[in-house]
Amino acid sequence: FFSIFAFATCGGFEGSVTFSVTCAGGDNATRVTNVTAAYGYPFRLNQAVFQPSLTHLCNHTWPRDVHLVGDFSSASRFFVGVAVGAFLYSLGALGLYLGYLHLYRCAGSHLPLLDPRTCCSPVSVPLSGSAPPVPGPRRGHVRRAAAAPLPHCPAPGVTCARAATPMGGLGASVAFGFLNLLLWAGGSWFVYKETPLHRPAPPPEPSPAPM
């Protein structure tokens, strides 16, 4: 369930950056326009353009369209991929435990040794892929990119005021990622306890004495 929440909150995240642009007119009149750049998964902020186009505001103060800065697509896709893989493995392992437990615990089965190695993958992959151990669209990195001032805003003729930029959903995905990592680490220990490495196989039953 935590893996579902992790990739759902990250993959379904939608945010925006809004500025209120005030243009001072020649007759002391002012014109206020709200411009917004919307972004979301996979967090290619450098492709998010402010709308309506800034090139039409404040007597063509901006010569071209303005984009946000930053591309976090590789990290966010890695995060979602690990979460989806953990979810699919959980379904497969649940089917194995419920339907084929007799094969799992039979003598000579290699499944108890294979299971810990596979179960540790959702823990070892994030740890080896990046730091901190829950890679993805770091909330701090995206927040800093979204908090950058609007470029080419010449004062005092033009004033650019920032509106709120909520990121609660992105913080939730990182929290679920950490919880998922801790749960898999704990689950790996219990899976290891089922292996002969931790619990030796019981000795064979003695054969009856010959008559």
Side-chain angles (χ1 to χ4, degrees):
F1 286 107
F2 281 103
S3 62
I4 295 175
F5 294 147
F7 71 74
T9 52
C10 180
F13 179 82
E14 294 182 354
S16 62
V17 178
T18 301
F19 283 92
S20 179
V21 180
T22 304
C23 308
D27 53 355
N28 294 329
T30 58
R31 298 186 301 276
V32 180
T33 305
N34 290 330
V35 293
T36 302
Y39 63 94
Y41 178 82
F43 299 96
R44 290 192 177 97
L45 272 65
N46 56 349
Q47 296 182 2
V49 184
F50 283 97
Q51 297 293 336
S53 177
L54 289 166
T55 58
H56 305 306
L57 302 181
C58 302
N59 197 22
H60 305 286
T61 298
W62 289 270
R64 62 183 63 88
D65 286 328
V66 177
H67 299 70
L68 296 178
V69 179
D71 185 354
F72 307 97
S73 58
S74 59
S76 62
R77 287 179 173 176
F78 181 83
F79 179 87
V80 172
V82 171
V84 172
F87 168 68
L88 295 178
Y89 177 77
S90 299
L91 291 181
L94 183 61
L96 173 65
Y97 298 151
L98 294 179
Y100 302 94
L101 189 60
H102 61 286
L103 297 177
Y104 189 90
R105 291 184 173 177
C106 68
S109 174
H110 295 287
L111 289 177
L113 292 176
L114 181 63
D115 197 17
R117 300 174 184 176
T118 311
C119 189
C120 289
S121 298
V123 180
S124 60
V125 169
L127 287 175
S128 61
S130 165
V134 183
R138 312 288 203 286
R139 185 183 180 188
H141 292 179
V142 177
R143 180 181 292 277
R144 285 193 293 271
L150 191 64
H152 310 299
C153 189
V158 180
T159 304
C160 304
R162 173 181 296 278
T165 308
M167 292 189 177
L170 191 58
S173 68
V174 175
F176 284 125
F178 272 111
L179 290 175
N180 195 40
L181 180 71
L182 295 176
L183 288 174
W184 275 95
S188 300
W189 165 249
F190 288 103
V191 172
Y192 168 74
K193 290 179 65 176
E194 296 292 328
T195 64
L197 300 176
H198 181 269
R199 185 177 60 182
E205 297 181 359
S207 58
M211 298 297 294

PDB file of all heavy atoms in Angstrom, residues 89 93 96-97 104 109-121 191-192 194-197:
ATOM      1  N   TYR A  89       6.152  -6.762  -7.216  1.00  0.00           N
ATOM      2  CA  TYR A  89       6.775  -7.882  -6.504  1.00  0.00           C
ATOM      3  C   TYR A  89       5.945  -8.279  -5.292  1.00  0.00           C
ATOM      4  O   TYR A  89       5.841  -9.477  -4.971  1.00  0.00           O
ATOM      5  CB  TYR A  89       8.190  -7.508  -6.067  1.00  0.00           C
ATOM      6  CG  TYR A  89       8.844  -8.601  -5.257  1.00  0.00           C
ATOM      7  CD1 TYR A  89       9.350  -9.740  -5.885  1.00  0.00           C
ATOM      8  CD2 TYR A  89       8.936  -8.516  -3.872  1.00  0.00           C
ATOM      9  CE1 TYR A  89       9.935 -10.756  -5.150  1.00  0.00           C
ATOM     10  CE2 TYR A  89       9.513  -9.526  -3.130  1.00  0.00           C
ATOM     11  CZ  TYR A  89      10.016 -10.646  -3.769  1.00  0.00           C
ATOM     12  OH  TYR A  89      10.588 -11.651  -3.044  1.00  0.00           O
ATOM     13  N   ALA A  93       4.738 -12.039  -4.673  1.00  0.00           N
ATOM     14  CA  ALA A  93       5.107 -12.759  -3.454  1.00  0.00           C
ATOM     15  C   ALA A  93       3.879 -13.184  -2.665  1.00  0.00           C
ATOM     16  O   ALA A  93       3.846 -14.282  -2.091  1.00  0.00           O
ATOM     17  CB  ALA A  93       6.006 -11.871  -2.595  1.00  0.00           C
ATOM     18  N   LEU A  96       2.528 -16.233  -4.226  1.00  0.00           N
ATOM     19  CA  LEU A  96       3.385 -17.388  -3.921  1.00  0.00           C
ATOM     20  C   LEU A  96       3.115 -17.909  -2.519  1.00  0.00           C
ATOM     21  O   LEU A  96       2.974 -19.122  -2.310  1.00  0.00           O
ATOM     22  CB  LEU A  96       4.854 -16.991  -4.072  1.00  0.00           C
ATOM     23  CG  LEU A  96       5.884 -18.037  -3.632  1.00  0.00           C
ATOM     24  CD1 LEU A  96       5.813 -19.270  -4.532  1.00  0.00           C
ATOM     25  CD2 LEU A  96       7.294 -17.445  -3.657  1.00  0.00           C
ATOM     26  N   TYR A  97       3.045 -17.001  -1.542  1.00  0.00           N
ATOM     27  CA  TYR A  97       2.854 -17.427  -0.159  1.00  0.00           C
ATOM     28  C   TYR A  97       1.482 -18.062   0.052  1.00  0.00           C
ATOM     29  O   TYR A  97       1.335 -18.993   0.847  1.00  0.00           O
ATOM     30  CB  TYR A  97       3.023 -16.241   0.789  1.00  0.00           C
ATOM     31  CG  TYR A  97       4.400 -15.613   0.750  1.00  0.00           C
ATOM     32  CD1 TYR A  97       4.584 -14.257   1.025  1.00  0.00           C
ATOM     33  CD2 TYR A  97       5.526 -16.364   0.429  1.00  0.00           C
ATOM     34  CE1 TYR A  97       5.839 -13.676   0.981  1.00  0.00           C
ATOM     35  CE2 TYR A  97       6.781 -15.796   0.383  1.00  0.00           C
ATOM     36  CZ  TYR A  97       6.925 -14.451   0.652  1.00  0.00           C
ATOM     37  OH  TYR A  97       8.168 -13.884   0.606  1.00  0.00           O
ATOM     38  N   TYR A 104       7.330 -23.655  -1.227  1.00  0.00           N
ATOM     39  CA  TYR A 104       8.291 -22.755  -0.584  1.00  0.00           C
ATOM     40  C   TYR A 104       8.989 -23.451   0.580  1.00  0.00           C
ATOM     41  O   TYR A 104      10.178 -23.231   0.817  1.00  0.00           O
ATOM     42  CB  TYR A 104       7.550 -21.505  -0.109  1.00  0.00           C
ATOM     43  CG  TYR A 104       8.446 -20.386   0.387  1.00  0.00           C
ATOM     44  CD1 TYR A 104       8.925 -19.418  -0.483  1.00  0.00           C
ATOM     45  CD2 TYR A 104       8.788 -20.292   1.736  1.00  0.00           C
ATOM     46  CE1 TYR A 104       9.735 -18.382  -0.036  1.00  0.00           C
ATOM     47  CE2 TYR A 104       9.585 -19.266   2.198  1.00  0.00           C
ATOM     48  CZ  TYR A 104      10.064 -18.320   1.311  1.00  0.00           C
ATOM     49  OH  TYR A 104      10.860 -17.301   1.754  1.00  0.00           O
ATOM     50  N   SER A 109      14.035 -26.960  -1.534  1.00  0.00           N
ATOM     51  CA  SER A 109      13.580 -25.834  -2.339  1.00  0.00           C
ATOM     52  C   SER A 109      14.572 -24.680  -2.253  1.00  0.00           C
ATOM     53  O   SER A 109      15.116 -24.384  -1.182  1.00  0.00           O
ATOM     54  CB  SER A 109      12.194 -25.378  -1.860  1.00  0.00           C
ATOM     55  OG  SER A 109      11.796 -24.207  -2.550  1.00  0.00           O
ATOM     56  N   HIS A 110      14.802 -24.046  -3.405  1.00  0.00           N
ATOM     57  CA  HIS A 110      15.718 -22.896  -3.439  1.00  0.00           C
ATOM     58  C   HIS A 110      14.975 -21.578  -3.277  1.00  0.00           C
ATOM     59  O   HIS A 110      15.612 -20.517  -3.263  1.00  0.00           O
ATOM     60  CB  HIS A 110      16.484 -22.881  -4.768  1.00  0.00           C
ATOM     61  CG  HIS A 110      17.397 -24.057  -4.946  1.00  0.00           C
ATOM     62  ND1 HIS A 110      18.581 -24.202  -4.267  1.00  0.00           N
ATOM     63  CD2 HIS A 110      17.266 -25.169  -5.730  1.00  0.00           C
ATOM     64  CE1 HIS A 110      19.180 -25.320  -4.629  1.00  0.00           C
ATOM     65  NE2 HIS A 110      18.390 -25.942  -5.523  1.00  0.00           N
ATOM     66  N   LEU A 111      13.660 -21.600  -3.179  1.00  0.00           N
ATOM     67  CA  LEU A 111      12.898 -20.360  -3.051  1.00  0.00           C
ATOM     68  C   LEU A 111      13.238 -19.581  -1.789  1.00  0.00           C
ATOM     69  O   LEU A 111      13.331 -18.351  -1.834  1.00  0.00           O
ATOM     70  CB  LEU A 111      11.396 -20.673  -3.098  1.00  0.00           C
ATOM     71  CG  LEU A 111      10.855 -21.114  -4.462  1.00  0.00           C
ATOM     72  CD1 LEU A 111       9.371 -21.452  -4.356  1.00  0.00           C
ATOM     73  CD2 LEU A 111      11.066 -20.025  -5.494  1.00  0.00           C
ATOM     74  N   PRO A 112      13.429 -20.231  -0.617  1.00  0.00           N
ATOM     75  CA  PRO A 112      13.792 -19.439   0.567  1.00  0.00           C
ATOM     76  C   PRO A 112      15.105 -18.692   0.432  1.00  0.00           C
ATOM     77  O   PRO A 112      15.293 -17.659   1.083  1.00  0.00           O
ATOM     78  CB  PRO A 112      13.868 -20.500   1.683  1.00  0.00           C
ATOM     79  CG  PRO A 112      12.972 -21.588   1.222  1.00  0.00           C
ATOM     80  CD  PRO A 112      13.147 -21.632  -0.273  1.00  0.00           C
ATOM     81  N   LEU A 113      16.043 -19.182  -0.395  1.00  0.00           N
ATOM     82  CA  LEU A 113      17.295 -18.469  -0.616  1.00  0.00           C
ATOM     83  C   LEU A 113      17.158 -17.388  -1.686  1.00  0.00           C
ATOM     84  O   LEU A 113      17.837 -16.359  -1.630  1.00  0.00           O
ATOM     85  CB  LEU A 113      18.397 -19.455  -1.023  1.00  0.00           C
ATOM     86  CG  LEU A 113      18.856 -20.439   0.055  1.00  0.00           C
ATOM     87  CD1 LEU A 113      19.863 -21.414  -0.520  1.00  0.00           C
ATOM     88  CD2 LEU A 113      19.463 -19.692   1.244  1.00  0.00           C
ATOM     89  N   LEU A 114      16.284 -17.630  -2.669  1.00  0.00           N
ATOM     90  CA  LEU A 114      16.083 -16.641  -3.726  1.00  0.00           C
ATOM     91  C   LEU A 114      15.230 -15.472  -3.253  1.00  0.00           C
ATOM     92  O   LEU A 114      15.436 -14.326  -3.676  1.00  0.00           O
ATOM     93  CB  LEU A 114      15.428 -17.319  -4.928  1.00  0.00           C
ATOM     94  CG  LEU A 114      15.148 -16.453  -6.151  1.00  0.00           C
ATOM     95  CD1 LEU A 114      16.443 -15.915  -6.730  1.00  0.00           C
ATOM     96  CD2 LEU A 114      14.375 -17.244  -7.198  1.00  0.00           C
ATOM     97  N   ASP A 115      14.297 -15.741  -2.370  1.00  0.00           N
ATOM     98  CA  ASP A 115      13.366 -14.705  -1.914  1.00  0.00           C
ATOM     99  C   ASP A 115      14.070 -13.535  -1.231  1.00  0.00           C
ATOM    100  O   ASP A 115      13.769 -12.374  -1.523  1.00  0.00           O
ATOM    101  CB  ASP A 115      12.327 -15.336  -0.990  1.00  0.00           C
ATOM    102  CG  ASP A 115      11.113 -14.441  -0.804  1.00  0.00           C
ATOM    103  OD1 ASP A 115      10.922 -13.518  -1.618  1.00  0.00           O
ATOM    104  OD2 ASP A 115      10.356 -14.655   0.149  1.00  0.00           O
ATOM    105  N   PRO A 116      15.027 -13.746  -0.290  1.00  0.00           N
ATOM    106  CA  PRO A 116      15.686 -12.585   0.335  1.00  0.00           C
ATOM    107  C   PRO A 116      16.451 -11.717  -0.643  1.00  0.00           C
ATOM    108  O   PRO A 116      16.477 -10.492  -0.503  1.00  0.00           O
ATOM    109  CB  PRO A 116      16.617 -13.224   1.370  1.00  0.00           C
ATOM    110  CG  PRO A 116      16.061 -14.566   1.614  1.00  0.00           C
ATOM    111  CD  PRO A 116      15.462 -15.008   0.321  1.00  0.00           C
ATOM    112  N   ARG A 117      17.076 -12.343  -1.642  1.00  0.00           N
ATOM    113  CA  ARG A 117      17.831 -11.548  -2.606  1.00  0.00           C
ATOM    114  C   ARG A 117      16.909 -10.641  -3.406  1.00  0.00           C
ATOM    115  O   ARG A 117      17.226  -9.479  -3.664  1.00  0.00           O
ATOM    116  CB  ARG A 117      18.601 -12.481  -3.546  1.00  0.00           C
ATOM    117  CG  ARG A 117      19.600 -13.382  -2.836  1.00  0.00           C
ATOM    118  CD  ARG A 117      20.214 -14.382  -3.790  1.00  0.00           C
ATOM    119  NE  ARG A 117      21.099 -15.310  -3.092  1.00  0.00           N
ATOM    120  CZ  ARG A 117      21.715 -16.336  -3.678  1.00  0.00           C
ATOM    121  NH1 ARG A 117      21.530 -16.548  -4.979  1.00  0.00           N
ATOM    122  NH2 ARG A 117      22.493 -17.128  -2.975  1.00  0.00           N
ATOM    123  N   THR A 118      15.772 -11.186  -3.825  1.00  0.00           N
ATOM    124  CA  THR A 118      14.814 -10.375  -4.573  1.00  0.00           C
ATOM    125  C   THR A 118      14.152  -9.345  -3.684  1.00  0.00           C
ATOM    126  O   THR A 118      13.896  -8.211  -4.104  1.00  0.00           O
ATOM    127  CB  THR A 118      13.745 -11.278  -5.207  1.00  0.00           C
ATOM    128  OG1 THR A 118      14.384 -12.350  -5.888  1.00  0.00           O
ATOM    129  CG2 THR A 118      12.894 -10.499  -6.186  1.00  0.00           C
ATOM    130  N   CYS A 119      13.880  -9.724  -2.448  1.00  0.00           N
ATOM    131  CA  CYS A 119      13.205  -8.808  -1.524  1.00  0.00           C
ATOM    132  C   CYS A 119      14.084  -7.627  -1.161  1.00  0.00           C
ATOM    133  O   CYS A 119      13.574  -6.549  -0.855  1.00  0.00           O
ATOM    134  CB  CYS A 119      12.790  -9.579  -0.266  1.00  0.00           C
ATOM    135  SG  CYS A 119      11.732  -8.664   0.867  1.00  0.00           S
ATOM    136  N   CYS A 120      15.397  -7.814  -1.184  1.00  0.00           N
ATOM    137  CA  CYS A 120      16.310  -6.718  -0.827  1.00  0.00           C
ATOM    138  C   CYS A 120      16.496  -5.721  -1.968  1.00  0.00           C
ATOM    139  O   CYS A 120      17.072  -4.649  -1.750  1.00  0.00           O
ATOM    140  CB  CYS A 120      17.672  -7.268  -0.420  1.00  0.00           C
ATOM    141  SG  CYS A 120      17.675  -8.126   1.170  1.00  0.00           S
ATOM    142  N   SER A 121      16.026  -6.050  -3.165  1.00  0.00           N
ATOM    143  CA  SER A 121      16.230  -5.149  -4.292  1.00  0.00           C
ATOM    144  C   SER A 121      15.596  -3.784  -4.088  1.00  0.00           C
ATOM    145  O   SER A 121      16.234  -2.753  -4.360  1.00  0.00           O
ATOM    146  CB  SER A 121      15.702  -5.793  -5.578  1.00  0.00           C
ATOM    147  OG  SER A 121      16.410  -6.973  -5.863  1.00  0.00           O
ATOM    148  N   VAL A 191      12.091 -12.295   6.051  1.00  0.00           N
ATOM    149  CA  VAL A 191      12.273 -13.261   4.978  1.00  0.00           C
ATOM    150  C   VAL A 191      13.579 -14.020   5.174  1.00  0.00           C
ATOM    151  O   VAL A 191      13.662 -15.244   4.953  1.00  0.00           O
ATOM    152  CB  VAL A 191      12.250 -12.557   3.611  1.00  0.00           C
ATOM    153  CG1 VAL A 191      12.626 -13.516   2.497  1.00  0.00           C
ATOM    154  CG2 VAL A 191      10.874 -11.976   3.346  1.00  0.00           C
ATOM    155  N   TYR A 192      14.621 -13.306   5.623  1.00  0.00           N
ATOM    156  CA  TYR A 192      15.906 -13.967   5.887  1.00  0.00           C
ATOM    157  C   TYR A 192      15.786 -15.006   6.996  1.00  0.00           C
ATOM    158  O   TYR A 192      16.467 -16.047   6.962  1.00  0.00           O
ATOM    159  CB  TYR A 192      16.944 -12.906   6.244  1.00  0.00           C
ATOM    160  CG  TYR A 192      18.223 -13.468   6.804  1.00  0.00           C
ATOM    161  CD1 TYR A 192      19.143 -14.107   5.968  1.00  0.00           C
ATOM    162  CD2 TYR A 192      18.521 -13.368   8.162  1.00  0.00           C
ATOM    163  CE1 TYR A 192      20.321 -14.633   6.482  1.00  0.00           C
ATOM    164  CE2 TYR A 192      19.691 -13.894   8.676  1.00  0.00           C
ATOM    165  CZ  TYR A 192      20.586 -14.523   7.829  1.00  0.00           C
ATOM    166  OH  TYR A 192      21.749 -15.047   8.333  1.00  0.00           O
ATOM    167  N   GLU A 194      13.547 -17.076   7.417  1.00  0.00           N
ATOM    168  CA  GLU A 194      12.988 -18.315   6.892  1.00  0.00           C
ATOM    169  C   GLU A 194      14.007 -19.144   6.119  1.00  0.00           C
ATOM    170  O   GLU A 194      13.699 -20.259   5.701  1.00  0.00           O
ATOM    171  CB  GLU A 194      11.799 -18.004   5.982  1.00  0.00           C
ATOM    172  CG  GLU A 194      10.625 -17.350   6.679  1.00  0.00           C
ATOM    173  CD  GLU A 194       9.948 -18.296   7.653  1.00  0.00           C
ATOM    174  OE1 GLU A 194       9.943 -19.514   7.376  1.00  0.00           O
ATOM    175  OE2 GLU A 194       9.447 -17.834   8.695  1.00  0.00           O
ATOM    176  N   THR A 195      15.206 -18.614   5.918  1.00  0.00           N
ATOM    177  CA  THR A 195      16.200 -19.323   5.120  1.00  0.00           C
ATOM    178  C   THR A 195      17.010 -20.277   5.990  1.00  0.00           C
ATOM    179  O   THR A 195      17.116 -20.101   7.204  1.00  0.00           O
ATOM    180  CB  THR A 195      17.157 -18.328   4.451  1.00  0.00           C
ATOM    181  OG1 THR A 195      17.902 -17.638   5.473  1.00  0.00           O
ATOM    182  CG2 THR A 195      16.382 -17.304   3.624  1.00  0.00           C
ATOM    183  N   PRO A 196      17.628 -21.285   5.372  1.00  0.00           N
ATOM    184  CA  PRO A 196      18.509 -22.166   6.143  1.00  0.00           C
ATOM    185  C   PRO A 196      19.727 -21.456   6.711  1.00  0.00           C
ATOM    186  O   PRO A 196      20.374 -21.980   7.618  1.00  0.00           O
ATOM    187  CB  PRO A 196      18.920 -23.242   5.122  1.00  0.00           C
ATOM    188  CG  PRO A 196      17.870 -23.197   4.066  1.00  0.00           C
ATOM    189  CD  PRO A 196      17.426 -21.760   4.011  1.00  0.00           C
ATOM    190  N   LEU A 197      20.069 -20.270   6.165  1.00  0.00           N
ATOM    191  CA  LEU A 197      21.213 -19.539   6.709  1.00  0.00           C
ATOM    192  C   LEU A 197      20.956 -19.076   8.134  1.00  0.00           C
ATOM    193  O   LEU A 197      21.891 -18.954   8.927  1.00  0.00           O
ATOM    194  CB  LEU A 197      21.509 -18.326   5.821  1.00  0.00           C
ATOM    195  CG  LEU A 197      21.862 -18.639   4.362  1.00  0.00           C
ATOM    196  CD1 LEU A 197      22.025 -17.357   3.579  1.00  0.00           C
ATOM    197  CD2 LEU A 197      23.128 -19.478   4.297  1.00  0.00           C
TER     198      LEU A 197
END
